[in-house]
Amino acid sequence: MSVSQSVTVRVPAKVNVQLAVGAARPDGFHDLANVFLAVGLFDEVTVTPAAELRITCEGPDAGQVPLDGTNLAARAAVALAERYGRTPDVHIHIAKDIPVAGGMAGGSADGAGALVACDALWGTGASQVELLDICAELGSDVPFSLVGGAALGIGRGEKLTVLETGGTFHWVFAMAEGGLSTPAVFREFDRLAAVADSEIPAPVASPELLAALASGDPDALAATVSNDLQPAALSLFPALADTLAAGRAAGALTALVSGSGPTTAFLARDAVAARRIAEALSHSGTCRAVRVAAGPVPGASVL
Ligand code: C5P
Protein backbone atom coordinates (compact mmCIF):
# COMPACT_ATOMS: atom_id res chain seq x y z
CA MET A 1 0.00 0.00 0.00
CA SER A 2 1.35 3.44 -0.82
CA VAL A 3 1.40 6.69 1.12
CA SER A 4 -0.86 8.19 -1.54
CA GLN A 5 -3.69 6.32 0.19
CA SER A 6 -3.51 8.72 3.14
CA VAL A 7 -6.71 10.51 4.10
CA THR A 8 -6.65 13.85 5.95
CA VAL A 9 -9.66 15.21 7.83
CA ARG A 10 -9.94 18.73 9.18
CA VAL A 11 -12.00 19.08 12.34
CA PRO A 12 -12.92 22.21 14.31
CA ALA A 13 -12.83 23.32 17.95
CA LYS A 14 -16.04 24.35 19.71
CA VAL A 15 -17.23 26.95 22.14
CA ASN A 16 -20.35 26.40 24.25
CA VAL A 17 -22.55 29.46 23.99
CA GLN A 18 -24.90 27.91 26.54
CA LEU A 19 -23.93 25.13 28.93
CA ALA A 20 -26.82 24.39 31.29
CA VAL A 21 -25.92 21.60 33.73
CA GLY A 22 -28.39 19.48 35.69
CA ALA A 23 -27.82 17.39 38.81
CA ALA A 24 -25.44 14.40 38.72
CA ARG A 25 -27.16 11.28 37.36
CA PRO A 26 -26.81 7.78 38.83
CA ASP A 27 -24.26 6.98 36.05
CA GLY A 28 -22.08 9.92 37.17
CA PHE A 29 -22.82 12.03 34.09
CA HIS A 30 -24.88 15.22 34.16
CA ASP A 31 -27.84 15.99 31.94
CA LEU A 32 -27.02 19.02 29.83
CA ALA A 33 -28.56 21.58 27.54
CA ASN A 34 -25.41 22.28 25.59
CA VAL A 35 -25.44 24.77 22.73
CA PHE A 36 -22.31 24.19 20.67
CA LEU A 37 -20.80 26.49 18.06
CA ALA A 38 -17.94 25.16 15.90
CA VAL A 39 -15.19 27.75 15.43
CA GLY A 40 -12.30 28.04 12.99
CA LEU A 41 -9.47 26.55 15.03
CA PHE A 42 -8.68 23.16 13.54
CA ASP A 43 -6.82 19.93 14.10
CA GLU A 44 -5.92 17.87 11.02
CA VAL A 45 -5.99 14.10 11.40
CA THR A 46 -4.20 12.03 8.74
CA VAL A 47 -4.51 8.24 8.55
CA THR A 48 -2.17 6.08 6.48
CA PRO A 49 -2.09 2.28 6.14
CA ALA A 50 0.54 0.84 8.52
CA ALA A 51 1.64 -2.49 9.97
CA GLU A 52 -0.13 -1.69 13.24
CA LEU A 53 -1.99 1.11 15.00
CA ARG A 54 0.25 3.98 16.06
CA ILE A 55 -0.23 7.69 16.77
CA THR A 56 2.02 10.69 16.31
CA CYS A 57 1.26 14.34 17.03
CA GLU A 58 2.78 17.69 16.12
CA GLY A 59 1.94 21.22 17.29
CA PRO A 60 2.60 23.58 20.20
CA ASP A 61 0.80 21.34 22.77
CA ALA A 62 1.85 18.00 21.21
CA GLY A 63 3.84 16.99 24.28
CA GLN A 64 0.62 16.81 26.34
CA VAL A 65 -1.21 14.50 23.92
CA PRO A 66 -1.33 10.79 24.90
CA LEU A 67 0.08 8.64 22.09
CA ASP A 68 -1.36 5.34 23.35
CA GLY A 69 -4.67 3.52 23.12
CA THR A 70 -6.38 6.06 25.41
CA ASN A 71 -6.22 8.75 22.70
CA LEU A 72 -9.75 9.25 21.34
CA ALA A 73 -8.37 9.03 17.79
CA ALA A 74 -7.00 5.53 18.52
CA ARG A 75 -10.25 4.52 20.23
CA ALA A 76 -12.21 5.75 17.18
CA ALA A 77 -10.09 3.66 14.79
CA VAL A 78 -10.46 0.58 17.01
CA ALA A 79 -14.25 1.05 17.37
CA LEU A 80 -14.79 1.38 13.61
CA ALA A 81 -12.47 -1.55 12.83
CA GLU A 82 -14.29 -3.77 15.35
CA ARG A 83 -17.65 -2.92 13.83
CA TYR A 84 -16.43 -3.82 10.34
CA GLY A 85 -14.40 -6.92 11.38
CA ARG A 86 -10.98 -5.62 10.39
CA THR A 87 -7.78 -4.61 12.16
CA PRO A 88 -7.12 -0.91 12.91
CA ASP A 89 -3.82 -1.04 11.02
CA VAL A 90 -3.26 2.69 10.54
CA HIS A 91 -0.76 5.35 11.41
CA ILE A 92 -2.77 8.31 12.79
CA HIS A 93 -0.98 11.65 12.65
CA ILE A 94 -2.55 14.61 14.43
CA ALA A 95 -1.51 18.14 13.47
CA LYS A 96 -2.80 19.82 16.62
CA ASP A 97 -3.83 23.45 16.75
CA ILE A 98 -6.73 23.16 19.23
CA PRO A 99 -5.54 23.71 22.83
CA VAL A 100 -5.14 20.51 24.85
CA ALA A 101 -7.36 20.13 27.96
CA GLY A 102 -8.71 23.58 27.14
CA GLY A 103 -12.50 23.15 27.08
CA MET A 104 -12.61 23.40 23.27
CA ALA A 105 -13.16 19.69 22.52
CA GLY A 106 -9.69 19.11 21.05
CA GLY A 107 -9.63 15.44 22.05
CA SER A 108 -13.17 14.95 20.76
CA ALA A 109 -12.18 16.62 17.49
CA ASP A 110 -9.38 14.09 17.02
CA GLY A 111 -11.80 11.22 17.75
CA ALA A 112 -14.29 12.43 15.15
CA GLY A 113 -11.48 13.22 12.70
CA ALA A 114 -9.92 9.76 12.96
CA LEU A 115 -13.32 8.12 12.61
CA VAL A 116 -14.16 9.99 9.40
CA ALA A 117 -10.62 9.47 8.05
CA CYS A 118 -10.61 5.70 8.72
CA ASP A 119 -14.11 5.40 7.29
CA ALA A 120 -12.92 7.04 4.06
CA LEU A 121 -9.62 5.08 3.94
CA TRP A 122 -11.31 1.72 4.51
CA GLY A 123 -14.37 2.48 2.39
CA THR A 124 -16.63 1.05 5.07
CA GLY A 125 -19.67 2.92 3.74
CA ALA A 126 -20.92 3.52 7.30
CA SER A 127 -24.01 5.72 7.47
CA GLN A 128 -23.98 9.07 9.29
CA VAL A 129 -26.20 7.48 11.97
CA GLU A 130 -23.66 4.68 12.54
CA LEU A 131 -20.79 7.16 12.73
CA LEU A 132 -22.73 9.30 15.21
CA ASP A 133 -23.41 6.17 17.32
CA ILE A 134 -19.69 5.42 17.52
CA CYS A 135 -19.00 9.09 18.32
CA ALA A 136 -21.47 8.99 21.24
CA GLU A 137 -19.71 5.88 22.62
CA LEU A 138 -16.37 7.70 22.46
CA GLY A 139 -17.45 10.81 24.39
CA SER A 140 -20.22 13.32 25.00
CA ASP A 141 -18.76 16.03 22.72
CA VAL A 142 -17.57 13.78 19.87
CA PRO A 143 -20.87 13.74 17.89
CA PHE A 144 -20.77 17.53 17.70
CA SER A 145 -17.18 17.48 16.39
CA LEU A 146 -18.48 15.31 13.55
CA VAL A 147 -21.42 17.56 12.57
CA GLY A 148 -20.02 21.03 13.38
CA GLY A 149 -21.97 24.20 12.63
CA ALA A 150 -24.22 24.95 15.59
CA ALA A 151 -26.24 22.39 17.52
CA LEU A 152 -28.10 21.77 20.77
CA GLY A 153 -26.89 18.69 22.62
CA ILE A 154 -29.09 17.14 25.29
CA GLY A 155 -28.65 14.00 27.40
CA ARG A 156 -24.89 13.91 28.12
CA GLY A 157 -24.61 16.41 25.25
CA GLU A 158 -24.52 13.67 22.61
CA LYS A 159 -28.13 13.87 21.36
CA LEU A 160 -27.92 16.62 18.78
CA THR A 161 -30.36 18.92 17.07
CA VAL A 162 -28.83 21.09 14.36
CA LEU A 163 -29.43 24.83 14.89
CA GLU A 164 -29.78 27.66 12.40
CA THR A 165 -27.37 30.57 12.60
CA GLY A 166 -28.03 33.92 10.94
CA GLY A 167 -24.43 34.97 10.48
CA THR A 168 -20.81 34.58 11.49
CA PHE A 169 -19.78 35.30 15.09
CA HIS A 170 -16.26 36.61 15.75
CA TRP A 171 -14.44 35.31 18.81
CA VAL A 172 -11.17 35.70 20.62
CA PHE A 173 -9.85 32.78 22.67
CA ALA A 174 -7.29 33.14 25.45
CA MET A 175 -5.35 29.99 26.29
CA ALA A 176 -4.41 29.59 29.92
CA GLU A 177 -1.19 28.35 31.45
CA GLY A 178 -2.06 24.69 32.10
CA GLY A 179 -5.27 22.70 31.59
CA LEU A 180 -8.35 21.66 33.56
CA SER A 181 -9.70 18.12 33.76
CA THR A 182 -13.34 17.96 32.66
CA PRO A 183 -14.30 15.35 35.32
CA ALA A 184 -12.64 17.54 37.99
CA VAL A 185 -14.69 20.57 36.89
CA PHE A 186 -17.93 18.56 37.00
CA ARG A 187 -16.94 17.28 40.49
CA GLU A 188 -16.38 20.88 41.59
CA PHE A 189 -19.80 21.78 40.13
CA ASP A 190 -21.30 19.02 42.34
CA ARG A 191 -19.36 20.22 45.38
CA LEU A 192 -20.47 23.85 44.94
CA ALA A 193 -24.07 22.69 44.42
CA ALA A 194 -23.92 20.65 47.66
CA VAL A 195 -22.52 23.65 49.56
CA ALA A 196 -25.27 25.92 48.17
CA ASP A 197 -27.83 23.24 49.11
CA SER A 198 -30.34 24.50 46.52
CA GLU A 199 -32.35 22.53 43.99
CA ILE A 200 -30.56 22.22 40.60
CA PRO A 201 -33.16 22.87 37.89
CA ALA A 202 -33.42 20.56 34.88
CA PRO A 203 -31.25 22.04 32.09
CA VAL A 204 -33.14 23.71 29.23
CA ALA A 205 -31.96 25.60 26.17
CA SER A 206 -32.66 29.33 26.40
CA PRO A 207 -35.19 30.43 23.72
CA GLU A 208 -33.59 33.91 23.74
CA LEU A 209 -30.16 32.41 23.04
CA LEU A 210 -31.47 30.23 20.20
CA ALA A 211 -33.17 33.31 18.71
CA ALA A 212 -29.92 35.28 19.02
CA LEU A 213 -28.00 32.55 17.17
CA ALA A 214 -30.65 32.45 14.45
CA SER A 215 -30.54 36.25 14.08
CA GLY A 216 -26.74 36.41 13.73
CA ASP A 217 -26.76 39.48 16.03
CA PRO A 218 -23.63 39.47 18.25
CA ASP A 219 -25.15 41.87 20.80
CA ALA A 220 -28.16 39.58 21.24
CA LEU A 221 -25.88 36.54 21.59
CA ALA A 222 -23.66 38.38 24.09
CA ALA A 223 -26.72 39.17 26.23
CA THR A 224 -27.78 35.51 26.39
CA VAL A 225 -24.61 33.33 26.64
CA SER A 226 -24.20 31.33 29.86
CA ASN A 227 -22.01 28.58 31.27
CA ASP A 228 -23.06 26.75 34.45
CA LEU A 229 -19.55 25.26 34.71
CA GLN A 230 -17.94 28.70 34.93
CA PRO A 231 -18.14 29.05 38.75
CA ALA A 232 -16.56 25.60 39.11
CA ALA A 233 -13.79 26.39 36.59
CA LEU A 234 -13.10 29.72 38.36
CA SER A 235 -13.06 28.01 41.73
CA LEU A 236 -10.34 25.59 40.50
CA PHE A 237 -8.51 28.23 38.44
CA PRO A 238 -9.15 31.65 40.09
CA ALA A 239 -6.70 33.51 37.81
CA LEU A 240 -9.19 33.10 34.94
CA ALA A 241 -11.16 35.99 36.49
CA ASP A 242 -8.27 38.31 35.54
CA THR A 243 -8.35 37.08 31.92
CA LEU A 244 -12.12 37.58 31.73
CA ALA A 245 -11.76 41.11 33.16
CA ALA A 246 -8.96 41.96 30.70
CA GLY A 247 -11.09 40.89 27.74
CA ARG A 248 -14.09 42.87 28.96
CA ALA A 249 -11.90 45.94 29.47
CA ALA A 250 -10.62 45.50 25.90
CA GLY A 251 -14.17 45.82 24.55
CA ALA A 252 -15.47 42.26 24.33
CA LEU A 253 -19.28 42.13 24.12
CA THR A 254 -19.15 39.27 26.60
CA ALA A 255 -16.54 37.06 28.23
CA LEU A 256 -16.97 33.48 29.41
CA VAL A 257 -15.13 30.29 30.18
CA SER A 258 -15.23 27.90 27.21
CA GLY A 259 -16.89 24.65 28.34
CA SER A 260 -15.00 23.25 31.35
CA GLY A 261 -12.13 25.68 30.70
CA PRO A 262 -9.55 26.93 31.21
CA THR A 263 -9.70 28.58 27.77
CA THR A 264 -11.70 31.81 27.95
CA ALA A 265 -13.86 33.07 25.08
CA PHE A 266 -14.62 36.68 24.12
CA LEU A 267 -17.32 37.67 21.65
CA ALA A 268 -16.48 40.63 19.39
CA ARG A 269 -18.80 42.77 17.27
CA ASP A 270 -16.80 42.05 14.08
CA ALA A 271 -13.44 40.83 12.80
CA VAL A 272 -11.74 44.19 13.35
CA ALA A 273 -12.90 44.37 16.96
CA ALA A 274 -11.75 40.76 17.48
CA ARG A 275 -8.23 41.63 16.35
CA ARG A 276 -8.20 44.65 18.69
CA ILE A 277 -9.34 42.57 21.68
CA ALA A 278 -6.80 39.86 20.81
CA GLU A 279 -4.02 42.44 20.71
CA ALA A 280 -4.99 43.83 24.13
CA LEU A 281 -5.32 40.37 25.68
CA SER A 282 -1.95 39.25 24.36
CA HIS A 283 -0.35 42.21 26.19
CA SER A 284 -2.41 41.76 29.36
CA GLY A 285 -0.11 39.22 30.99
CA THR A 286 -3.18 37.15 31.94
CA CYS A 287 -2.87 34.30 29.41
CA ARG A 288 -0.42 32.06 27.55
CA ALA A 289 -1.60 32.66 23.98
CA VAL A 290 -4.45 34.36 22.13
CA ARG A 291 -6.27 33.27 18.98
CA VAL A 292 -9.00 34.78 16.82
CA ALA A 293 -11.58 32.41 15.29
CA ALA A 294 -15.03 32.80 13.74
CA GLY A 295 -17.96 30.38 13.66
CA PRO A 296 -20.00 28.52 12.69
CA VAL A 297 -17.72 26.34 10.54
CA PRO A 298 -18.39 22.82 9.21
CA GLY A 299 -17.62 19.67 11.22
CA ALA A 300 -15.13 16.93 10.33
CA SER A 301 -14.35 17.28 6.59
CA VAL A 302 -12.13 15.17 4.32
CA LEU A 303 -9.55 17.43 2.66
O1 C5P B 1 -18.20 12.07 27.78
P1 C5P B 1 -16.80 12.43 28.14
O2 C5P B 1 -15.89 11.24 28.23
O3 C5P B 1 -16.22 13.52 27.33
O4 C5P B 1 -16.89 13.02 29.61
C1 C5P B 1 -15.75 13.26 30.40
C2 C5P B 1 -16.17 13.40 31.83
O5 C5P B 1 -16.89 14.63 32.02
C3 C5P B 1 -17.10 12.33 32.34
O6 C5P B 1 -16.39 11.23 32.84
C4 C5P B 1 -17.84 13.05 33.46
O7 C5P B 1 -17.03 13.12 34.62
C5 C5P B 1 -17.96 14.47 32.91
N1 C5P B 1 -19.24 14.69 32.21
C6 C5P B 1 -20.40 14.77 32.95
N2 C5P B 1 -21.59 14.97 32.30
C7 C5P B 1 -21.63 15.11 30.96
C8 C5P B 1 -20.45 15.04 30.19
C9 C5P B 1 -19.26 14.83 30.85
O8 C5P B 1 -20.38 14.66 34.17
N3 C5P B 1 -22.79 15.32 30.37
Side-chain angles (χ1 to χ4, degrees), residues 176-206:
E177 210 62 70
L180 273 176
S181 135
T182 301
V185 175
F186 274 103
R187 276 197 303 277
E188 182 67 0
F189 173 89
D190 293 338
R191 192 188 69 79
L192 293 175
V195 170
D197 195 24
S198 54
E199 187 83 358
I200 301 176
V204 284
S206 149

CSV table of all heavy atoms in Angstrom, one decimal, residues 176-206:
chain,number,residue,atom,x,y,z
A,176,ALA,N,-5.0,29.4,28.6
A,176,ALA,CA,-4.4,29.6,29.9
A,176,ALA,C,-3.1,28.8,30.1
A,176,ALA,O,-2.9,27.9,29.3
A,176,ALA,CB,-5.4,29.1,31.0
A,177,GLU,N,-2.4,29.1,31.1
A,177,GLU,CA,-1.2,28.4,31.5
A,177,GLU,C,-1.7,27.1,32.1
A,177,GLU,O,-2.2,27.2,33.2
A,177,GLU,CB,-0.4,29.2,32.4
A,177,GLU,CG,1.1,29.0,32.4
A,177,GLU,CD,1.8,29.3,31.1
A,177,GLU,OE1,1.8,30.5,30.7
A,177,GLU,OE2,2.2,28.4,30.4
A,178,GLY,N,-1.6,25.9,31.5
A,178,GLY,CA,-2.1,24.7,32.1
A,178,GLY,C,-3.5,24.3,31.6
A,178,GLY,O,-4.1,25.1,30.9
A,179,GLY,N,-3.9,23.2,32.0
A,179,GLY,CA,-5.3,22.7,31.6
A,179,GLY,C,-6.2,22.5,32.8
A,179,GLY,O,-5.8,22.7,33.9
A,180,LEU,N,-7.4,22.1,32.5
A,180,LEU,CA,-8.4,21.7,33.6
A,180,LEU,C,-8.9,20.3,33.1
A,180,LEU,O,-9.3,20.1,31.9
A,180,LEU,CB,-9.5,22.7,33.7
A,180,LEU,CG,-9.3,23.9,34.7
A,180,LEU,CD1,-10.5,24.8,34.6
A,180,LEU,CD2,-9.1,23.4,36.1
A,181,SER,N,-9.1,19.4,34.1
A,181,SER,CA,-9.7,18.1,33.8
A,181,SER,C,-11.2,18.3,33.8
A,181,SER,O,-11.8,18.8,34.8
A,181,SER,CB,-9.2,17.1,34.8
A,181,SER,OG,-10.3,16.3,35.2
A,182,THR,N,-11.9,17.8,32.7
A,182,THR,CA,-13.3,18.0,32.7
A,182,THR,C,-14.0,17.3,33.8
A,182,THR,O,-14.9,17.9,34.5
A,182,THR,CB,-13.9,17.4,31.3
A,182,THR,OG1,-13.2,18.2,30.3
A,182,THR,CG2,-15.4,17.6,31.2
A,183,PRO,N,-13.7,16.0,34.2
A,183,PRO,CA,-14.3,15.4,35.3
A,183,PRO,C,-14.1,16.2,36.6
A,183,PRO,O,-15.0,16.3,37.4
A,183,PRO,CB,-13.6,14.0,35.4
A,183,PRO,CG,-13.1,13.7,34.0
A,183,PRO,CD,-12.8,15.1,33.5
A,184,ALA,N,-12.9,16.8,36.8
A,184,ALA,CA,-12.6,17.5,38.0
A,184,ALA,C,-13.6,18.8,38.1
A,184,ALA,O,-14.0,19.1,39.1
A,184,ALA,CB,-11.2,18.0,38.0
A,185,VAL,N,-13.8,19.4,36.9
A,185,VAL,CA,-14.7,20.6,36.9
A,185,VAL,C,-16.1,20.2,37.2
A,185,VAL,O,-16.8,20.8,38.0
A,185,VAL,CB,-14.6,21.3,35.5
A,185,VAL,CG1,-15.6,22.5,35.5
A,185,VAL,CG2,-13.1,21.8,35.3
A,186,PHE,N,-16.6,19.0,36.7
A,186,PHE,CA,-17.9,18.6,37.0
A,186,PHE,C,-18.0,18.2,38.5
A,186,PHE,O,-19.0,18.5,39.1
A,186,PHE,CB,-18.3,17.4,36.1
A,186,PHE,CG,-18.9,17.8,34.8
A,186,PHE,CD1,-18.2,17.7,33.6
A,186,PHE,CD2,-20.3,18.2,34.7
A,186,PHE,CE1,-18.8,18.0,32.4
A,186,PHE,CE2,-20.8,18.6,33.5
A,186,PHE,CZ,-20.1,18.5,32.4
A,187,ARG,N,-16.9,17.6,39.0
A,187,ARG,CA,-16.9,17.3,40.5
A,187,ARG,C,-17.0,18.6,41.3
A,187,ARG,O,-17.7,18.6,42.3
A,187,ARG,CB,-15.7,16.5,40.9
A,187,ARG,CG,-15.8,15.0,40.6
A,187,ARG,CD,-14.7,14.2,41.4
A,187,ARG,NE,-13.3,14.7,41.1
A,187,ARG,CZ,-12.6,14.2,40.0
A,187,ARG,NH1,-13.1,13.3,39.2
A,187,ARG,NH2,-11.4,14.7,39.8
A,188,GLU,N,-16.3,19.6,40.9
A,188,GLU,CA,-16.4,20.9,41.6
A,188,GLU,C,-17.8,21.5,41.5
A,188,GLU,O,-18.3,22.1,42.4
A,188,GLU,CB,-15.3,21.8,41.0
A,188,GLU,CG,-15.2,23.2,41.7
A,188,GLU,CD,-14.7,23.1,43.2
A,188,GLU,OE1,-14.4,22.0,43.7
A,188,GLU,OE2,-14.6,24.2,43.8
A,189,PHE,N,-18.4,21.3,40.3
A,189,PHE,CA,-19.8,21.8,40.1
A,189,PHE,C,-20.7,21.1,41.2
A,189,PHE,O,-21.5,21.7,41.9
A,189,PHE,CB,-20.3,21.4,38.7
A,189,PHE,CG,-21.8,21.7,38.5
A,189,PHE,CD1,-22.2,22.9,38.0
A,189,PHE,CD2,-22.7,20.7,38.7
A,189,PHE,CE1,-23.6,23.1,37.9
A,189,PHE,CE2,-24.1,20.9,38.5
A,189,PHE,CZ,-24.5,22.1,38.1
A,190,ASP,N,-20.5,19.8,41.4
A,190,ASP,CA,-21.3,19.0,42.3
A,190,ASP,C,-21.0,19.5,43.8
A,190,ASP,O,-21.9,19.7,44.6
A,190,ASP,CB,-21.0,17.5,42.3
A,190,ASP,CG,-21.5,16.9,41.0
A,190,ASP,OD1,-22.4,17.5,40.3
A,190,ASP,OD2,-20.9,15.8,40.6
A,191,ARG,N,-19.7,19.8,44.0
A,191,ARG,CA,-19.4,20.2,45.4
A,191,ARG,C,-20.0,21.6,45.7
A,191,ARG,O,-20.6,21.8,46.7
A,191,ARG,CB,-17.8,20.3,45.5
A,191,ARG,CG,-17.3,20.5,47.0
A,191,ARG,CD,-15.8,20.8,47.0
A,191,ARG,NE,-15.5,22.1,46.5
A,191,ARG,CZ,-15.6,23.2,47.2
A,191,ARG,NH1,-16.1,23.2,48.4
A,191,ARG,NH2,-15.2,24.4,46.6
A,192,LEU,N,-19.9,22.5,44.7
A,192,LEU,CA,-20.5,23.8,44.9
A,192,LEU,C,-22.0,23.8,45.1
A,192,LEU,O,-22.6,24.5,45.9
A,192,LEU,CB,-20.1,24.8,43.8
A,192,LEU,CG,-18.6,25.1,43.6
A,192,LEU,CD1,-18.4,26.0,42.4
A,192,LEU,CD2,-18.1,25.9,44.9
A,193,ALA,N,-22.6,22.9,44.3
A,193,ALA,CA,-24.1,22.7,44.4
A,193,ALA,C,-24.4,22.2,45.8
A,193,ALA,O,-25.4,22.6,46.4
A,193,ALA,CB,-24.6,21.7,43.3
A,194,ALA,N,-23.6,21.2,46.3
A,194,ALA,CA,-23.9,20.6,47.7
A,194,ALA,C,-23.8,21.7,48.7
A,194,ALA,O,-24.6,21.8,49.7
A,194,ALA,CB,-23.0,19.5,47.9
A,195,VAL,N,-22.7,22.6,48.6
A,195,VAL,CA,-22.5,23.6,49.6
A,195,VAL,C,-23.7,24.6,49.5
A,195,VAL,O,-24.2,25.1,50.6
A,195,VAL,CB,-21.2,24.4,49.3
A,195,VAL,CG1,-21.1,25.7,50.1
A,195,VAL,CG2,-20.0,23.5,49.5
A,196,ALA,N,-24.2,25.0,48.3
A,196,ALA,CA,-25.3,25.9,48.2
A,196,ALA,C,-26.6,25.3,48.7
A,196,ALA,O,-27.5,26.0,49.1
A,196,ALA,CB,-25.4,26.4,46.7
A,197,ASP,N,-26.7,24.0,48.6
A,197,ASP,CA,-27.8,23.2,49.1
A,197,ASP,C,-29.1,23.7,48.5
A,197,ASP,O,-30.1,23.9,49.2
A,197,ASP,CB,-27.9,23.4,50.6
A,197,ASP,CG,-28.9,22.3,51.2
A,197,ASP,OD1,-29.1,21.3,50.6
A,197,ASP,OD2,-29.4,22.6,52.3
A,198,SER,N,-29.1,24.1,47.2
A,198,SER,CA,-30.3,24.5,46.5
A,198,SER,C,-30.6,23.5,45.4
A,198,SER,O,-29.7,22.8,44.9
A,198,SER,CB,-30.2,25.9,46.0
A,198,SER,OG,-29.1,26.0,45.2
A,199,GLU,N,-31.9,23.4,45.0
A,199,GLU,CA,-32.3,22.5,44.0
A,199,GLU,C,-31.7,22.9,42.7
A,199,GLU,O,-31.7,24.1,42.3
A,199,GLU,CB,-33.9,22.7,43.9
A,199,GLU,CG,-34.5,21.7,43.0
A,199,GLU,CD,-34.8,20.3,43.6
A,199,GLU,OE1,-34.4,20.2,44.8
A,199,GLU,OE2,-35.3,19.5,43.0
A,200,ILE,N,-31.1,21.9,41.9
A,200,ILE,CA,-30.6,22.2,40.6
A,200,ILE,C,-31.7,22.0,39.6
A,200,ILE,O,-32.2,20.9,39.4
A,200,ILE,CB,-29.4,21.3,40.3
A,200,ILE,CG1,-28.3,21.5,41.3
A,200,ILE,CG2,-28.8,21.6,38.9
A,200,ILE,CD1,-27.1,20.5,41.2
A,201,PRO,N,-32.1,23.1,38.9
A,201,PRO,CA,-33.2,22.9,37.9
A,201,PRO,C,-32.7,22.0,36.7
A,201,PRO,O,-31.5,21.9,36.4
A,201,PRO,CB,-33.5,24.3,37.4
A,201,PRO,CG,-32.3,25.1,37.8
A,201,PRO,CD,-31.5,24.4,38.9
A,202,ALA,N,-33.7,21.4,36.1
A,202,ALA,CA,-33.4,20.6,34.9
A,202,ALA,C,-32.9,21.5,33.8
A,202,ALA,O,-33.4,22.6,33.7
A,202,ALA,CB,-34.7,19.9,34.4
A,203,PRO,N,-31.8,21.1,33.1
A,203,PRO,CA,-31.2,22.0,32.1
A,203,PRO,C,-32.1,22.2,30.9
A,203,PRO,O,-32.6,21.2,30.3
A,203,PRO,CB,-29.9,21.3,31.7
A,203,PRO,CG,-30.2,19.9,32.0
A,203,PRO,CD,-31.1,19.8,33.1
A,204,VAL,N,-32.4,23.4,30.5
A,204,VAL,CA,-33.1,23.7,29.2
A,204,VAL,C,-32.4,24.8,28.4
A,204,VAL,O,-31.8,25.7,28.9
A,204,VAL,CB,-34.6,24.2,29.5
A,204,VAL,CG1,-35.5,23.1,30.0
A,204,VAL,CG2,-34.6,25.4,30.5
A,205,ALA,N,-32.5,24.6,27.1
A,205,ALA,CA,-32.0,25.6,26.2
A,205,ALA,C,-32.7,26.9,26.3
A,205,ALA,O,-34.0,26.9,26.4
A,205,ALA,CB,-32.0,25.1,24.7
A,206,SER,N,-32.0,28.0,26.3
A,206,SER,CA,-32.7,29.3,26.4
A,206,SER,C,-33.3,29.7,25.0
A,206,SER,O,-32.5,29.8,24.1
A,206,SER,CB,-31.6,30.4,26.8
A,206,SER,OG,-31.9,31.6,26.3
